[in-house]
Amino acid sequence: MKNELNAELISVGTELLLGQIVNTNAQWLSEELANMGINVFYHGVVGDNENRLYQTFKQAHERSDLVIVTGGLGPTDDDVTREVASTILNAPIYEDEEALKEIQDYYDANNQIMTPNNRKQARLLDGAELLYNSVGMAPGFVLHKENTTWMFLPGVPREMKAIMEEHGFPFIQEKLVPEHTIVSHTLKFIGIGESQLEHDLHDLIQNQSNPTIAPLAGDGENALRLTAKASSNEEAKAIIQDTEDEILSRVGEYCYGRDHDTIQDKVFQLLKENNEVVASAESLTGGKFVDNLISLKGASSICNGAIVCYSPVVKQQVLEVPSLVLDEHGSVSEACALTLAVNVTNKLQSTIGISFTGVAGPEPLEGHEAGTVYIGVYKDQQQPFCKKYHFNGDREMIRQRSVKKGFELLYHLLKK
Amino acid sequence: MKNELNAELISVGTELLLGQIVNTNAQWLSEELANMGINVFYHGVVGDNENRLYQTFKQAHERSDLVIVTGGLGPTDDDVTREVASTILNAPIYEDEEALKEIQDYYDANNQIMTPNNRKQARLLDGAELLYNSVGMAPGFVLHKENTTWMFLPGVPREMKAIMEEHGFPFIQEKLVPEHTIVSHTLKFIGIGESQLEHDLHDLIQNQSNPTIAPLAGDGENALRLTAKASSNEEAKAIIQDTEDEILSRVGEYCYGRDHDTIQDKVFQLLKENNEVVASAESLTGGKFVDNLISLKGASSICNGAIVCYSPVVKQQVLEVPSLVLDEHGSVSEACALTLAVNVTNKLQSTIGISFTGVAGPEPLEGHEAGTVYIGVYKDQQQPFCKKYHFNGDREMIRQRSVKKGFELLYHLLKK
């Protein structure tokens, strides 16, 4: 049993190379293997072509400890995966009785007649072990040759997953996995740029190898992934905790959550804990902020609704922004944002109001460049405040970034 | 110019190998390249590791005519894609003034300070041509060495796509594409089910090979892709036109557009042509409908805004639904939907109003199952009408399907 197991995934199929389907098999297998502490170093996609398959398999056999092949095992003449593997692994093809019975049973169960070409799917490589398929017709198989373990699986995601969960992963766990654990953990940050974050943690990121610290960029936010290796889960978690403490002592004020947390979830949760009800007045964001909140189940306890005031008419007639404000300052202004935030709070009987007014573009508005955005925030009994931003990107990005920034402002307001 | 162009896609990134994200970049690029008649023979995924990148790039350089690399160009020390490419392609790295200016401008526009490590993203390979990034910070670049053209692009899908559409594909089309043409064309349908569509066109789909007709299922709508091969663009288009005419003579009433048209675009355009101004009253959809409209540039001429009336308070106080309606029929009712549609139209000084009220779930509401949705439509001077639906899926799917159906109703109202 090696101490490190290096895996490679090969997906065989023209549909992938034509972009007709996305390679979700590779994603799923990678995630599962990562959780088992196995390094996946390569994904490859190749079509049903003998020469190209040969090159790809040959290389995998030389460089990887575990190769998982999905697809290419079908009944048609196109499917040459078995033949190519047979040559490289020096393992003759034979018709396996058990496999044939599986296929025959499948047809019987479905009241269909097995056609001769389906027998092809009962052909294994000499020395292989059958991996039963409980949800479809064709089984997979696994064999160990020289220093590499090869698994061959159908390309249909549902069948591939069932075979792996029932037989493939247990095989790997039992026969191949080294005796250490890997634990991975993500910290989420908002309000600090990627470079600033890396600057503040430079020495840690550079010098640490267990846990490793990997910065991940997102839009309007950032994350760090800490990955520890140890002989037990507890030990790995303890190693991560020490580094996490050090990181949070430096940049903790920007850390809003962990792993699958989103800033929307976090704001939702804080609103709930504090018994606050939020309302939004949205000009350029056009309902995108409130849509984000209402997409979460249980939204009725933290949001009554919103007013989308895209035109001046709605700002004036419904949200009662005085003509004086619009005439003197324009709708893209601090004065307008503040009035909108206060009035929407009162109008919708809420306790917190947030307003978005600005230029989504592409054209400038009232003399302001696209990307100029004012966000107003009001909490009852407190002074409202307003922040001005310049966001980059196209119309949709500017609108999305405004919304994300709105959540950031509410997060900082609520966590106090 | 070769007659056949063989392409290879390499995605650099540990997130892919850990299964944290799916390789949608490879899918999208493959589909676009297939439409241009370019063969993609390999996809590869590899991490930020010098040795493994070297092997992967070296092999690609030897076997492919076009290599598109996504990811690995970031500002951190992890990112070694440039360095490895520089070695293999024998092209020294230099800091490009234009690229640096792009990055500097990006920071200026966002009122942020550029940190030194961001300069790294201005480094190109000697002989490369800059590919501008109109939606993000870091540009891509392309260079031709020996017999291979290399394109390097950021890994963020939105940025990668914008660069390819604006600069990458035009470059390939102009400098690399062989002389037969493939023309592909999509027809979009709404209001007809997938099986009905395939039934009505069965003989055409079965028997035709040039153009081929491929049904594509979408959510709440359907599409057909017609693909023709010919020696000239004109010839291919003529071949497609004949088949298109035949299709439209059978199911034309459901066809709302072509290629990248969306039903939202179409409704937007019809509103504009008819000088209509739409307003929405949104309960369960929570602003998603109006957000879709306001995401389109020029929205101010067709939409004044919306009222998101998630709670009964807003329905009553702002949209003036009589207590009698809420008490007798409930908020999930035809009576409520009709009142909302009429009142939001008048309140927001619009000519058309649409309302959404129902149960997004997961819990039932007022005795109605999740998925029960009423959509009300009002056009001034006309009788308002209301339709009731049962949508399947989770909370978010039910909300999205409601919005899509709203656009379908407006499309049929407006195209008359």
Side-chain angles (χ1 to χ4, degrees):
Chain A
M1 212 176 283
K2 292 178 66 178
N3 196 33
E4 291 273 327
L5 195 73
N6 297 336
E8 169 159 6
L9 310 179
I10 300 172
S11 310
V12 183
T14 311
E15 324 84 81
L16 288 161
L17 294 175
L18 286 169
Q20 292 169 339
I21 54 172
V22 186
N23 195 355
T24 54
N25 281 349
Q27 181 272 324
W28 185 83
L29 286 168
S30 293
E31 197 173 16
E32 297 293 322
L33 292 169
N35 286 339
M36 296 171 77
I38 296 171
N39 303 311
V40 176
F41 280 154
Y42 301 96
H43 296 174
V45 176
V46 62
D48 296 295
N49 170 284
E50 274 194 51
N51 179 39
R52 290 190 285 274
L53 270 178
Y54 183 87
Q55 301 300 335
T56 304
F57 283 3
K58 182 96 185 146
Q59 189 176 44
H61 193 56
E62 282 158 12
R63 70 189 179 187
S64 299
D65 305 312
L66 170 65
V67 183
I68 302 182
V69 180
T70 54
L73 299 177
T76 68
D77 290 339
D78 287 358
D79 296 295
V80 292
T81 293
R82 267 185 203 83
E83 285 70 12
V84 172
S86 167
T87 309
I88 287 169
L89 304 178
N90 193 22
I93 295 174
Y94 74 100
E95 189 176 84
D96 186 84
E97 272 184 40
E98 258 185 288
L100 189 61
K101 187 172 174 306
E102 285 282 294
I103 296 170
Q104 184 64 62
D105 287 351
Y106 180 88
Y107 276 92
D108 291 348
N110 286 278
N111 273 338
Q112 291 176 343
I113 291 162
M114 191 171 112
T115 53
N117 56 354
N118 281 118
R119 287 186 82 103
K120 282 198 179 177
Q121 299 187 87
R123 296 175 312 143
L124 305 195
L125 301 189
D126 192 34
E129 193 173 310
L130 197 65
L131 300 170
Y132 290 96
N133 183 345
S134 65
V135 299
M137 179 180 59
F141 52 94
V142 52
L143 82 165
H144 188 81
K145 275 281 174 169
E146 284 133 28
N147 295 311
T148 305
T149 302
W150 284 78
M151 280 194 178
F152 294 89
L153 302 160
V156 181
R158 210 172 63 90
E159 300 187 17
M160 183 280 290
K161 288 181 189 179
I163 295 176
M164 284 307 289
E165 281 173 345
E166 292 163 23
H167 308 290
F169 293 133
F171 179 96
I172 292 171
Q173 188 75 50
E174 201 177 303
K175 308 231 166 128
L176 304 174
V177 163
E179 278 153 21
H180 65 240
T181 324
I182 294 208
V183 174
S184 200
H185 212 44
T186 305
L187 298 176
K188 303 280 199 87
F189 297 85
I190 200 156
I192 183 170
E194 187 187 4
S195 332
Q196 187 65 48
L197 190 65
E198 291 191 35
H199 178 265
D200 292 351
L201 304 172
H202 189 72
D203 54 320
L204 294 176
I205 296 174
Q206 283 302 302
N207 304 330
Q208 285 217 178
S209 60
N210 194 23
T212 55
I213 307 174
L216 312 168
D219 200 49
E221 58 178 281
N222 284 286
L224 293 175
R225 189 178 53 238
L226 315 187
T227 308
K229 214 174 236 187
S231 58
S232 75
N233 222 27
E234 290 62 42
E235 197 191 326
K237 279 184 182 159
I239 291 173
I240 284 186
Q241 192 59 57
D242 288 347
T243 302
E244 189 174 315
D245 291 346
E246 176 60 30
I247 290 171
L248 295 182
S249 76
R250 300 190 194 182
V251 290
E253 61 181 309
Y254 303 105
C255 178
Y256 72 81
R258 275 174 184 68
D259 300 322
H260 295 292
D261 289 345
T262 66
I263 188 71
Q264 287 89 335
D265 293 337
K266 209 69 197 183
V267 166
F268 186 94
Q269 189 186 317
L270 286 167
L271 287 166
K272 213 157 184 171
E273 284 169 17
N274 297 335
N275 286 315
E276 304 284 357
V277 177
V278 71
S280 60
E282 308 193 36
S283 183
L284 86 155
T285 53
K288 197 182 278 302
F289 174 86
V290 67
D291 177 34
N292 262 281
L293 278 185
I294 292 181
S295 71
L296 304 172
K297 70 172 177 182
S300 57
S301 65
I302 56 97
C303 181
N304 284 340
I307 293 174
V308 177
C309 50
Y310 197 56
S311 79
V313 158
V314 182
K315 290 185 183 79
Q316 272 190 289
Q317 305 282 320
V318 183
L319 280 163
E320 296 164 21
V321 178
S323 328
L324 194 73
V325 167
L326 294 179
D327 292 346
E328 280 197 6
H329 303 277
S331 64
V332 182
S333 68
E334 177 170 335
C336 182
L338 291 172
T339 312
L340 288 172
V342 175
N343 291 4
V344 82
T345 311
N346 296 329
K347 192 124 200 138
L348 301 193
Q349 301 184 19
S350 304
T351 62
I352 290 180
I354 185 165
S355 66
F356 301 86
T357 182
V359 193
E363 307 304 325
L365 180 69
E366 300 178 359
H368 303 278
E369 284 296 300
T372 309
V373 177
Y374 290 85
I375 304 181
V377 175
Y378 173 62
K379 187 168 185 301
D380 59 358
Q381 321 295 340
Q382 294 183 10
Q383 198 62 25
F385 66 88
C386 175
K387 301 242 181 184
K388 180 182 183 182
Y389 300 94
H390 286 283
F391 296 112
N392 237 332
D394 60 16
R395 183 176 173 88
E396 196 49 19
M397 280 312 304
I398 289 167
R399 299 176 67 241
Q400 279 172 17
R401 287 172 176 167
S402 303
V403 167
K404 183 65 91 61
K405 189 57 82 175
F407 278 104
E408 181 186 326
L409 292 177
L410 288 189
Y411 171 69
H412 288 294
L413 178 78
L414 289 161
K415 78 166 178 175
K416 276 170 197 163
Chain B
M1 215 176 282
K2 292 177 66 175
N3 196 33
E4 289 275 326
L5 194 70
N6 297 337
E8 168 159 6
L9 310 180
I10 300 173
S11 310
V12 182
T14 311
E15 322 86 79
L16 289 161
L17 294 177
L18 286 168
Q20 294 172 336
I21 54 173
V22 186
N23 197 355
T24 54
N25 281 348
Q27 180 272 326
W28 185 83
L29 284 168
S30 294
E31 193 173 21
E32 297 293 321
L33 291 168
N35 284 341
M36 295 170 79
I38 295 171
N39 302 313
V40 176
F41 280 154
Y42 299 97
H43 295 175
V45 177
V46 62
D48 296 295
N49 169 285
E50 275 194 51
N51 179 41
R52 291 191 285 274
L53 272 177
Y54 183 89
Q55 301 300 337
T56 304
F57 282 5
K58 182 94 186 149
Q59 187 176 47
H61 194 57
E62 282 159 8
R63 70 189 179 186
S64 299
D65 305 313
L66 170 65
V67 182
I68 303 182
V69 180
T70 54
L73 299 177
T76 69
D77 291 340
D78 288 359
D79 296 298
V80 291
T81 293
R82 267 183 203 86
E83 285 71 12
V84 172
S86 167
T87 308
I88 287 169
L89 304 177
N90 194 20
I93 294 174
Y94 74 100
E95 187 176 87
D96 188 81
E97 272 183 41
E98 258 184 289
L100 188 63
K101 190 173 170 308
E102 286 280 296
I103 296 169
Q104 184 66 61
D105 288 351
Y106 181 88
Y107 276 90
D108 291 348
N110 284 280
N111 268 341
Q112 292 176 342
I113 291 164
M114 190 173 114
T115 53
N117 55 356
N118 281 117
R119 286 186 83 106
K120 284 196 178 175
Q121 301 188 85
R123 294 175 314 143
L124 305 194
L125 301 188
D126 192 37
E129 194 173 308
L130 197 65
L131 301 170
Y132 290 94
N133 183 343
S134 64
V135 300
M137 181 179 58
F141 53 93
V142 53
L143 81 166
H144 188 81
K145 275 280 175 168
E146 284 132 28
N147 294 313
T148 305
T149 302
W150 285 77
M151 280 195 179
F152 295 89
L153 302 162
V156 180
R158 213 177 58 88
E159 300 187 15
M160 183 279 290
K161 288 181 188 177
I163 295 176
M164 284 308 290
E165 280 174 346
E166 292 164 24
H167 309 290
F169 294 132
F171 179 97
I172 293 170
Q173 189 75 51
E174 200 176 302
K175 309 231 165 128
L176 305 174
V177 163
E179 278 153 22
H180 70 247
T181 321
I182 292 201
V183 173
S184 198
H185 212 43
T186 306
L187 298 176
K188 303 278 198 90
F189 297 85
I190 201 158
I192 181 172
E194 190 184 359
S195 16
Q196 188 63 46
L197 190 65
E198 290 189 35
H199 176 265
D200 292 352
L201 303 173
H202 187 74
D203 54 318
L204 293 177
I205 295 174
Q206 285 300 306
N207 303 331
Q208 285 220 175
S209 61
N210 196 21
T212 55
I213 306 174
L216 312 169
D219 200 50
E221 57 179 282
N222 285 286
L224 294 174
R225 189 174 54 229
L226 315 186
T227 308
K229 210 176 235 183
S231 58
S232 76
N233 223 24
E234 289 61 43
E235 197 191 324
K237 279 184 181 157
I239 291 174
I240 284 185
Q241 192 60 54
D242 288 348
T243 303
E244 186 174 318
D245 290 346
E246 177 60 30
I247 291 171
L248 294 183
S249 76
R250 302 190 193 181
V251 288
E253 61 181 308
Y254 303 104
C255 178
Y256 73 80
R258 277 175 182 69
D259 300 320
H260 296 290
D261 287 346
T262 65
I263 188 70
Q264 288 89 333
D265 292 337
K266 211 65 199 186
V267 166
F268 185 96
Q269 189 187 316
L270 286 167
L271 287 166
K272 211 156 185 172
E273 284 168 18
N274 297 337
N275 285 316
E276 304 285 357
V277 176
V278 71
S280 61
E282 307 193 37
S283 183
L284 86 156
T285 54
K288 200 184 277 300
F289 174 85
V290 66
D291 177 34
N292 262 283
L293 277 184
I294 292 182
S295 71
L296 304 171
K297 71 174 176 179
S300 58
S301 65
I302 57 97
C303 180
N304 285 341
I307 291 173
V308 177
C309 50
Y310 196 56
S311 79
V313 158
V314 182
K315 291 185 184 78
Q316 272 188 292
Q317 304 284 318
V318 184
L319 281 164
E320 295 164 21
V321 178
S323 326
L324 193 73
V325 167
L326 295 179
D327 293 346
E328 281 197 6
H329 304 275
S331 64
V332 183
S333 68
E334 176 169 335
C336 182
L338 291 172
T339 312
L340 289 172
V342 175
N343 291 5
V344 81
T345 311
N346 297 330
K347 190 120 200 141
L348 302 193
Q349 301 184 18
S350 304
T351 61
I352 290 180
I354 184 164
S355 66
F356 301 86
T357 183
V359 193
E363 308 302 326
L365 181 69
E366 299 176 0
H368 302 279
E369 284 297 298
T372 310
V373 177
Y374 291 86
I375 304 180
V377 175
Y378 174 62
K379 189 167 184 300
D380 58 359
Q381 322 294 340
Q382 294 183 9
Q383 197 64 25
F385 65 88
C386 175
K387 301 241 180 181
K388 181 181 181 182
Y389 300 95
H390 287 283
F391 296 112
N392 262 328
D394 62 15
R395 184 175 173 87
E396 197 48 23
M397 281 311 302
I398 289 167
R399 299 176 67 241
Q400 279 172 16
R401 286 172 177 166
S402 304
V403 167
K404 182 65 89 63
K405 189 58 79 175
F407 278 104
E408 182 186 324
L409 291 177
L410 288 189
Y411 172 69
H412 289 294
L413 178 79
L414 288 161
K415 77 165 181 178
K416 274 169 197 162

